[in-house]
Amino acid sequence: MLVAVSVDAQVPPGFTLTVGDVAAIAGVAPSAVRFYEQHGLITAHRTAGDQRRFDDVAACRIKVAKVAQRVGLTVREITDVFADLPADPAPEDWARLADVLVAEAEARTAALRSYLDEIRSAGRLCEVDGRLGGNPGR
Amino acid sequence: MLVAVSVDAQVPPGFTLTVGDVAAIAGVAPSAVRFYEQHGLITAHRTAGDQRRFDDVAACRIKVAKVAQRVGLTVREITDVFADLPADPAPEDWARLADVLVAEAEARTAALRSYLDEIRSAGRLCEVDGRLGGNPGR
DNA sequence: CTGGGCGTTCGACATATGTTGAGGTCAAGG
DNA sequence: CCTTGACCTCAACATATGTCGAACGCCCAG
């Protein structure tokens, strides 16, 4: 007789965390966790009673996302980057992810620096490639 | 009696750009220019007819702001950074500004990199234990 | 098997960042 | 002067990122 716990038979093993659990681990509000799931940043399985059950990877994704948001990435962009992350990421997978995110952050910083350098080196502020004196339509 | 020469006497010299001019130069919509003025990112003088007249510095500030937004700074934060910028900035002033902005961008990138490094070196992702018996193909 | 602490959805609210439209005014060219 | 396009304000809408409350359901401990 192997009939035992049939309640969460459809929830894969490892998916034991509730919304509140993930929220506590990731340091965000439960509402935010639902928001991220709605937007595909994380995924959940559902119990027979329609409750979400998360993986610990979900909490990890959220933590990374919060830091990535600080460098200007939108939830949508972060979701896209996460699209390449396997369901059960190995350290190398995290490393690849890190490369992508850091590269993006550095590219944006480089753009900022480059533009500021341009302004600074232009003797008289940034009258760069703008035609002053005309008023063409938009 | 009306005095003809008093029409734009209150608008300082150099403030010749209309909302549309600044918008065209900075590459944003006129509505955005008004928005930035409302939020203190740029300042305008008014003609006798209550129209805004900007300085070319305004367009420059907007251009910088757009790039700074890409590294995660809010309009509020950018406005605060601009608070230290003189009305008529010299190259050194832009240089100081650049230092502040780039430092902030790099700090945020560093935080991201540091956190990702932490995850990667933790081996077992975000300090949480799951089924680490292996990485089943699935 | 029941109580209450979580969970669920849904819609309203909140903030940031703008855009659009209505209704009216200003200013520069003809 | 007078037309016409750009400007003014104000309000509503739009999107991103969440939060909160109501009304209701699930589930674990006693």
Coordinates of all heavy atoms in Angstrom, one line a residue, chain A residues 39-101:
Chain A
H39 N 4.2 38.4 -12.9 CA 5.0 38.9 -14.0 C 6.1 38.0 -14.4 O 7.0 38.4 -15.1 CB 5.6 40.3 -13.5 CG 4.5 41.3 -13.5 ND1 3.6 41.4 -12.5 CD2 4.2 42.4 -14.3 CE1 2.8 42.4 -12.6 NE2 3.1 43.0 -13.7
G40 N 6.0 36.7 -14.0 CA 6.9 35.7 -14.5 C 8.3 35.7 -14.0 O 9.2 35.0 -14.5
L41 N 8.6 36.5 -12.9 CA 9.9 36.5 -12.4 C 10.2 35.2 -11.6 O 11.3 34.7 -11.6 CB 10.0 37.7 -11.4 CG 11.4 38.1 -10.9 CD1 12.1 38.9 -12.0 CD2 11.4 38.9 -9.7
I42 N 9.2 34.7 -11.0 CA 9.2 33.4 -10.3 C 8.0 32.6 -10.8 O 7.1 33.1 -11.3 CB 9.2 33.6 -8.8 CG1 8.0 34.4 -8.4 CG2 10.5 34.2 -8.3 CD1 7.9 34.6 -6.9
T43 N 8.1 31.3 -10.5 CA 7.0 30.4 -10.8 C 6.6 29.6 -9.6 O 7.4 29.3 -8.7 CB 7.3 29.5 -12.0 OG1 8.4 28.7 -11.6 CG2 7.6 30.2 -13.3
A44 N 5.4 29.2 -9.5 CA 4.9 28.4 -8.4 C 4.1 27.2 -8.9 O 3.5 27.2 -10.0 CB 4.0 29.3 -7.5
H45 N 4.0 26.2 -8.1 CA 3.1 25.1 -8.3 C 1.9 25.4 -7.3 O 2.1 26.2 -6.4 CB 3.7 23.8 -8.0 CG 4.7 23.4 -9.0 ND1 4.4 22.7 -10.2 CD2 6.0 23.6 -9.1 CE1 5.5 22.5 -10.9 NE2 6.5 23.1 -10.3
R46 N 0.8 24.8 -7.6 CA -0.4 25.0 -6.7 C -0.8 23.7 -6.0 O -0.7 22.6 -6.6 CB -1.6 25.5 -7.6 CG -1.4 26.8 -8.2 CD -1.2 27.9 -7.2 NE -1.1 29.2 -7.9 CZ -1.9 30.2 -7.7 NH1 -2.9 30.1 -6.8 NH2 -1.8 31.4 -8.3
T47 N -1.2 23.8 -4.8 CA -1.7 22.7 -4.1 C -3.1 22.4 -4.6 O -3.7 23.2 -5.3 CB -1.8 22.9 -2.6 OG1 -2.8 24.0 -2.3 CG2 -0.4 23.4 -2.0
A48 N -3.7 21.3 -4.1 CA -5.1 21.0 -4.5 C -6.0 22.1 -4.0 O -7.0 22.4 -4.7 CB -5.5 19.6 -3.8
G49 N -5.6 22.8 -3.0 CA -6.4 23.9 -2.5 C -6.1 25.2 -3.1 O -6.4 26.3 -2.6
D50 N -5.3 25.2 -4.2 CA -5.0 26.4 -5.0 C -4.0 27.3 -4.3 O -3.9 28.5 -4.6 CB -6.2 27.1 -5.3 CG -6.1 27.9 -6.6 OD1 -5.3 27.4 -7.5 OD2 -6.6 29.0 -6.8
Q51 N -3.3 26.8 -3.4 CA -2.3 27.7 -2.7 C -0.9 27.5 -3.4 O -0.6 26.4 -3.9 CB -2.1 27.3 -1.3 CG -3.4 27.6 -0.5 CD -3.2 27.6 1.0 OE1 -2.1 27.3 1.5 NE2 -4.2 28.0 1.8
R52 N -0.1 28.6 -3.5 CA 1.2 28.5 -4.1 C 2.2 27.8 -3.3 O 2.2 27.9 -2.1 CB 1.7 30.0 -4.4 CG 0.9 30.8 -5.4 CD 1.3 32.2 -5.4 NE 0.5 33.0 -6.2 CZ -0.6 33.6 -5.9 NH1 -1.1 33.4 -4.7 NH2 -1.3 34.3 -6.8
R53 N 3.0 27.1 -4.0 CA 4.1 26.4 -3.3 C 5.4 26.7 -4.1 O 5.5 26.4 -5.3 CB 3.9 24.9 -3.1 CG 2.9 24.5 -2.1 CD 3.2 25.0 -0.7 NE 2.2 24.6 0.3 CZ 1.2 25.4 0.7 NH1 1.1 26.6 0.2 NH2 0.3 25.0 1.5
F54 N 6.4 27.3 -3.4 CA 7.6 27.7 -4.1 C 8.8 26.9 -3.7 O 8.8 26.2 -2.7 CB 7.9 29.2 -3.8 CG 6.9 30.2 -4.3 CD1 5.9 30.6 -3.4 CD2 7.0 30.7 -5.5 CE1 5.0 31.5 -3.9 CE2 6.1 31.6 -6.0 CZ 5.1 32.0 -5.1
D55 N 9.7 27.0 -4.6 CA 11.0 26.4 -4.5 C 11.9 27.4 -3.8 O 11.6 28.6 -3.7 CB 11.5 26.5 -6.0 CG 12.5 25.6 -6.2 OD1 13.3 25.3 -5.3 OD2 12.6 25.0 -7.4
D56 N 13.0 27.0 -3.2 CA 13.9 28.0 -2.6 C 14.6 28.9 -3.7 O 15.1 30.0 -3.4 CB 15.0 27.3 -1.7 CG 15.6 26.1 -2.4 OD1 15.3 25.9 -3.6 OD2 16.2 25.3 -1.7
V57 N 14.6 28.4 -4.9 CA 15.2 29.2 -6.0 C 14.4 30.5 -6.2 O 14.9 31.5 -6.5 CB 15.2 28.4 -7.3 CG1 15.7 29.3 -8.5 CG2 16.1 27.2 -7.2
A58 N 13.1 30.4 -5.9 CA 12.2 31.6 -6.0 C 12.7 32.7 -5.1 O 12.8 33.8 -5.6 CB 10.8 31.2 -5.7
A59 N 13.0 32.4 -3.9 CA 13.5 33.4 -3.0 C 14.8 34.0 -3.5 O 15.0 35.2 -3.4 CB 13.6 32.8 -1.6
C60 N 15.6 33.1 -4.0 CA 16.9 33.6 -4.5 C 16.7 34.5 -5.7 O 17.4 35.6 -5.8 CB 17.7 32.3 -4.9 SG 19.5 32.7 -5.0
R61 N 15.9 34.2 -6.6 CA 15.6 35.0 -7.7 C 15.1 36.4 -7.3 O 15.5 37.4 -7.8 CB 14.5 34.4 -8.6 CG 15.0 33.3 -9.5 CD 13.8 32.7 -10.2 NE 14.1 31.8 -11.3 CZ 13.8 31.9 -12.5 NH1 13.1 33.0 -12.9 NH2 14.2 31.1 -13.4
I62 N 14.3 36.4 -6.3 CA 13.7 37.7 -5.8 C 14.9 38.5 -5.2 O 15.0 39.7 -5.5 CB 12.6 37.5 -4.8 CG1 11.4 36.9 -5.4 CG2 12.3 38.8 -4.1 CD1 10.3 36.5 -4.5
K63 N 15.7 37.9 -4.4 CA 16.8 38.7 -3.8 C 17.7 39.3 -4.9 O 18.1 40.4 -4.8 CB 17.7 37.8 -3.0 CG 17.0 37.4 -1.6 CD 18.0 36.9 -0.7 CE 17.5 36.0 0.4 NZ 18.5 35.4 1.3
V64 N 18.0 38.5 -5.9 CA 18.8 39.0 -7.0 C 18.1 40.1 -7.7 O 18.7 41.2 -8.1 CB 19.2 37.9 -8.0 CG1 19.9 38.5 -9.3 CG2 20.0 36.8 -7.4
A65 N 16.8 39.9 -8.0 CA 16.0 40.9 -8.7 C 16.0 42.3 -7.9 O 16.1 43.3 -8.6 CB 14.6 40.4 -8.8
K66 N 15.9 42.2 -6.6 CA 15.9 43.5 -5.9 C 17.2 44.3 -6.1 O 17.2 45.5 -6.1 CB 15.7 43.2 -4.4 CG 14.3 42.6 -4.0 CD 13.2 43.3 -4.6 CE 12.8 44.7 -4.0 NZ 11.6 45.3 -4.6
V67 N 18.3 43.6 -6.1 CA 19.6 44.2 -6.3 C 19.7 44.7 -7.8 O 20.2 45.8 -8.0 CB 20.8 43.3 -5.9 CG1 22.1 44.1 -6.0 CG2 20.6 42.8 -4.5
A68 N 19.2 43.9 -8.7 CA 19.3 44.3 -10.1 C 18.4 45.5 -10.4 O 18.7 46.3 -11.2 CB 18.8 43.1 -11.0
Q69 N 17.3 45.6 -9.7 CA 16.5 46.8 -9.8 C 17.3 48.1 -9.5 O 17.0 49.1 -10.1 CB 15.2 46.7 -8.9 CG 14.1 45.9 -9.5 CD 12.9 45.9 -8.6 OE1 13.0 45.8 -7.4 NE2 11.7 46.0 -9.2
R70 N 18.1 48.0 -8.5 CA 18.9 49.1 -8.1 C 19.9 49.6 -9.2 O 20.3 50.8 -9.2 CB 19.8 48.8 -6.9 CG 19.0 48.7 -5.6 CD 18.6 50.0 -5.0 NE 19.8 50.7 -4.5 CZ 19.9 51.9 -4.0 NH1 18.8 52.6 -4.0 NH2 21.0 52.4 -3.5
V71 N 20.2 48.8 -10.1 CA 21.1 49.2 -11.2 C 20.3 49.6 -12.5 O 20.8 49.6 -13.6 CB 22.2 48.2 -11.6 CG1 23.1 48.0 -10.4 CG2 21.7 46.9 -12.0
G72 N 19.0 49.7 -12.3 CA 18.1 50.2 -13.3 C 17.4 49.2 -14.2 O 16.8 49.6 -15.2
L73 N 17.5 48.0 -13.9 CA 16.8 47.0 -14.6 C 15.3 46.9 -14.2 O 15.0 47.0 -13.0 CB 17.4 45.6 -14.5 CG 18.7 45.4 -15.4 CD1 19.9 45.9 -14.7 CD2 18.8 43.9 -15.7
T74 N 14.4 46.8 -15.1 CA 13.0 46.7 -14.8 C 12.7 45.2 -14.5 O 13.5 44.3 -14.8 CB 12.1 47.1 -16.0 OG1 12.3 46.2 -17.0 CG2 12.5 48.5 -16.4
V75 N 11.6 45.0 -13.9 CA 11.2 43.6 -13.6 C 11.1 42.8 -14.9 O 11.5 41.6 -14.9 CB 9.8 43.6 -12.9 CG1 9.2 42.2 -12.8 CG2 10.0 44.2 -11.5
R76 N 10.6 43.4 -15.9 CA 10.5 42.8 -17.2 C 11.9 42.4 -17.7 O 12.1 41.2 -18.2 CB 9.9 43.7 -18.2 CG 9.8 43.2 -19.6 CD 9.0 41.9 -19.6 NE 9.0 41.2 -20.9 CZ 8.2 41.4 -21.9 NH1 7.3 42.4 -21.8 NH2 8.4 40.8 -23.0
E77 N 12.9 43.3 -17.6 CA 14.2 42.9 -18.1 C 14.8 41.8 -17.2 O 15.5 40.9 -17.8 CB 15.1 44.2 -18.0 CG 14.7 45.2 -19.1 CD 15.4 46.6 -18.8 OE1 15.8 46.9 -17.7 OE2 15.6 47.3 -19.8
I78 N 14.6 41.9 -15.9 CA 15.2 40.9 -15.1 C 14.5 39.5 -15.4 O 15.2 38.5 -15.4 CB 14.9 41.3 -13.6 CG1 15.7 42.6 -13.3 CG2 15.4 40.2 -12.7 CD1 15.2 43.2 -12.0
T79 N 13.2 39.5 -15.6 CA 12.5 38.3 -16.0 C 13.1 37.7 -17.3 O 13.3 36.5 -17.3 CB 11.0 38.6 -16.2 OG1 10.5 39.0 -15.0 CG2 10.3 37.4 -16.7
D80 N 13.4 38.6 -18.2 CA 14.0 38.1 -19.5 C 15.4 37.5 -19.2 O 15.7 36.4 -19.8 CB 14.2 39.3 -20.4 CG 12.8 39.7 -21.0 OD1 11.8 39.0 -20.8 OD2 12.8 40.8 -21.6
V81 N 16.2 38.1 -18.3 CA 17.5 37.5 -18.0 C 17.3 36.2 -17.3 O 18.0 35.2 -17.6 CB 18.3 38.5 -17.1 CG1 19.6 37.8 -16.6 CG2 18.6 39.8 -17.9
F82 N 16.4 36.1 -16.5 CA 16.1 34.8 -15.8 C 15.6 33.7 -16.7 O 15.6 32.5 -16.3 CB 15.1 35.0 -14.6 CG 15.7 35.6 -13.4 CD1 14.9 36.1 -12.4 CD2 17.1 35.7 -13.2 CE1 15.4 36.6 -11.2 CE2 17.6 36.3 -12.1 CZ 16.8 36.7 -11.0
A83 N 15.1 34.1 -17.8 CA 14.5 33.1 -18.7 C 15.6 32.1 -19.1 O 15.2 30.9 -19.4 CB 14.0 33.8 -20.0
D84 N 16.8 32.4 -19.1 CA 17.9 31.5 -19.4 C 18.4 30.6 -18.2 O 19.3 29.8 -18.4 CB 19.1 32.2 -20.0 CG 18.8 32.8 -21.3 OD1 17.9 32.3 -22.0 OD2 19.4 33.8 -21.7
L85 N 17.8 30.9 -17.1 CA 18.2 30.2 -15.9 C 17.4 28.9 -15.7 O 16.2 28.9 -15.8 CB 18.0 31.1 -14.7 CG 18.7 30.7 -13.4 CD1 20.2 30.8 -13.5 CD2 18.2 31.6 -12.2
P86 N 18.1 27.7 -15.6 CA 17.4 26.5 -15.5 C 16.5 26.5 -14.2 O 16.7 27.3 -13.3 CB 18.5 25.4 -15.3 CG 19.7 26.1 -15.7 CD 19.5 27.6 -15.6
A87 N 15.6 25.6 -14.1 CA 14.7 25.5 -12.9 C 15.5 25.2 -11.7 O 15.2 25.7 -10.6 CB 13.7 24.4 -13.2
D88 N 16.6 24.4 -11.9 CA 17.4 24.1 -10.7 C 18.8 24.4 -11.0 O 19.6 23.6 -11.5 CB 17.3 22.5 -10.4 CG 17.8 22.2 -9.1 OD1 18.3 23.1 -8.4 OD2 17.6 21.0 -8.7
P89 N 19.2 25.7 -10.8 CA 20.4 26.2 -11.3 C 21.6 25.7 -10.5 O 21.6 25.6 -9.3 CB 20.3 27.7 -11.1 CG 18.9 28.0 -10.6 CD 18.4 26.7 -10.1
A90 N 22.7 25.3 -11.3 CA 23.9 25.0 -10.7 C 24.7 26.3 -10.5 O 24.4 27.3 -11.1 CB 24.7 24.0 -11.6
P91 N 25.8 26.2 -9.7 CA 26.6 27.4 -9.6 C 27.1 28.1 -10.9 O 27.1 29.3 -11.0 CB 27.8 26.9 -8.8 CG 27.3 25.8 -8.0 CD 26.2 25.2 -8.8
E92 N 27.3 27.2 -11.9 CA 27.8 27.8 -13.2 C 26.6 28.6 -13.8 O 26.9 29.6 -14.5 CB 28.2 26.7 -14.2 CG 29.1 25.6 -13.6 CD 28.3 24.5 -12.9 OE1 27.6 23.7 -13.6 OE2 28.3 24.5 -11.7
D93 N 25.4 28.1 -13.6 CA 24.3 28.9 -14.1 C 24.1 30.2 -13.4 O 23.9 31.2 -14.1 CB 23.0 28.1 -13.9 CG 23.0 26.7 -14.6 OD1 23.4 26.7 -15.8 OD2 22.6 25.7 -14.0
W94 N 24.4 30.3 -12.1 CA 24.3 31.5 -11.4 C 25.5 32.4 -12.0 O 25.3 33.6 -12.1 CB 24.5 31.4 -9.9 CG 23.2 30.8 -9.3 CD1 23.1 29.6 -8.7 CD2 22.0 31.5 -9.2 NE1 21.8 29.5 -8.3 CE2 21.1 30.6 -8.5 CE3 21.5 32.7 -9.6 CZ2 19.7 30.9 -8.3 CZ3 20.2 33.1 -9.3 CH2 19.3 32.2 -8.7
A95 N 26.6 31.8 -12.2 CA 27.7 32.5 -12.7 C 27.5 33.2 -14.1 O 27.8 34.4 -14.3 CB 29.0 31.6 -12.8
R96 N 26.8 32.4 -14.9 CA 26.4 33.0 -16.3 C 25.5 34.2 -16.1 O 25.6 35.2 -16.7 CB 25.8 31.9 -17.1 CG 26.7 31.3 -18.2 CD 25.9 30.5 -19.2 NE 25.2 29.4 -18.6 CZ 25.7 28.3 -18.2 NH1 27.0 28.0 -18.4 NH2 24.9 27.3 -17.7
L97 N 24.5 34.0 -15.2 CA 23.5 35.0 -14.9 C 24.2 36.3 -14.4 O 24.0 37.4 -14.8 CB 22.6 34.5 -13.9 CG 21.4 35.4 -13.5 CD1 20.3 35.3 -14.5 CD2 20.9 35.2 -12.1
A98 N 25.2 36.0 -13.5 CA 25.9 37.1 -12.9 C 26.6 37.9 -14.0 O 26.6 39.2 -14.0 CB 26.9 36.6 -11.9
D99 N 27.2 37.2 -14.9 CA 27.9 37.9 -16.0 C 27.0 38.8 -16.8 O 27.3 39.9 -17.1 CB 28.6 36.8 -16.9 CG 29.8 36.1 -16.3 OD1 30.3 36.7 -15.3 OD2 30.2 35.1 -16.8
V100 N 25.9 38.3 -17.1 CA 24.9 39.0 -17.9 C 24.5 40.3 -17.2 O 24.5 41.4 -17.7 CB 23.7 38.2 -18.3 CG1 22.6 39.0 -18.9 CG2 24.0 37.0 -19.2
L101 N 24.1 40.1 -15.9 CA 23.6 41.2 -15.1 C 24.7 42.3 -14.9 O 24.4 43.5 -15.1 CB 23.1 40.8 -13.8 CG 21.8 40.0 -13.8 CD1 21.4 39.5 -12.4 CD2 20.6 40.8 -14.5

